[in-house]
Amino acid sequence: MSHRFSSFLLGTAALAAGLAVSSCNTEKASATEAENPAAAAEAMSGAAATAAEEKAATPADVTTTAPDPSSIPASAVGNAAAILARPQVPILCYHQIRDWRAKDSKGAKDYIVPVEQFKAQIKMLADSGYHTILPDQLYAYLTTGAKLPSKPVMLTFDDTDLDQFTVAKPTLDKYGYKAVYFVMTVSLGRPNYMSKAQVKQLSDEGNIIGSHTWDHHNVKKYQGKDWETQIEKPTKTLEEITGKKINYFAYPFGLWNPEAIPELKKRGMVAAFVLAEKRDQQDPLFTIRRIIASGYWSPKTLHNSIVNSFDGK
């Protein structure tokens, strides 16, 4: 067993005996909100910790307790059945954080969260006692049962939109929250998208940068050199920007197929994220579920989705 992983286990009281699924019962989303497509998507329920752990856990735990996946010995990694048996952690997916415009379609508004709505959603998470976690923590939890902070949640942002840096980041900073930014490299430096310097700053400040392909091409359609164009080159670009290995991938549109998983593994990914569909029974680490945080959702509806939609999925 590696020294780093051994130290991690000692520092977190070894493996968790199991985390209880939250039994919080909240009201269902209103009929109006439930009618939009994103509200109908499945979400995940987080794992609750003991009262003592809840009292002790702080947002600072997020960046200090997770080992690098490469330091976890293969002998310590559970099989697919063990991973699938663990209560899922809620993972939210955001895209644009800006006010709606007249030309925005009804469907597009699911993916565009107005600024004040976003701030209210994040405040709800903080007021409700949620602690953000990062992918290395999630990986250690799923593969070994390592403990997580109380009421864990992961915040993810897709597509490199500039407002994720100018609006979302200051909001998260206010609560000591960290996030995962899945970067589409074709957009770097373009108007209304993040620059390489901004991506590096996010990484330097303790956020995680993940790959989201070169230009959002559907993974199910990859052939031949598409894997080099869409995964290898963008991953190398992100590693050059951040100075860190890129371990995590988010499928464009949440679409994947079983053939993609070995290709991602070959290219250094240790886990990949889909959207609200069911996980693959053989490779659950490469089909980790997220839900889109809809622009239509009030903080209460978001909370209901976190509590209800992920439960037992």
Side-chain angles (χ1 to χ4, degrees), residues 90 124-132 150-153 177 303 306-307:
M124 178 278 294
L125 294 175
D127 290 347
S128 300
Y130 282 94
H131 297 98
T132 54
S150 61
K151 299 188 77 171
V153 65
Y177 279 177
H303 184 269
I306 290 172
V307 172

Side-chain angles (χ1 to χ4, degrees), residues 38 41 91-101 104 107-115 118 121-122 154-169 172 179-184 187 192-194 202 211-213 216 250-255 273-276 290-297:
I91 305 177
L92 305 181
C93 175
Y94 287 97
H95 291 82
Q96 297 182 59
I97 313 298
R98 64 166 175 82
D99 293 338
W100 290 344
R101 300 166 186 157
D104 292 329
K109 290 177 181 178
D110 272 323
Y111 298 84
I112 304 167
V113 182
V115 173
F118 176 77
Q121 289 182 1
I122 301 303
M154 186 182 293
L155 306 177
T156 69
F157 295 84
D158 288 6
D159 299 347
T160 333
D161 292 274
L162 180 59
D163 47 51
Q164 297 171 7
F165 185 88
T166 58
V167 179
K169 181 183 116 57
L172 301 188
V180 190
Y181 295 83
F182 288 109
V183 173
M184 181 175 62
S187 61
N192 300 315
Y193 289 94
M194 283 190 263
L202 288 170
S211 176
H212 198 43
T213 74
H216 217 268
Y251 300 95
F253 315 105
L255 299 176
F273 295 79
V274 297
L275 287 174
R290 306 185 290 168
I291 56 166
I292 293 171
S294 173
Y296 290 99
W297 287 359

Side-chain angles (χ1 to χ4, degrees), residues 137-148:
Q137 282 178 284
L138 181 67
Y139 183 89
Y141 162 68
L142 290 175
T143 57
T144 73
K147 288 185 179 181
L148 294 175

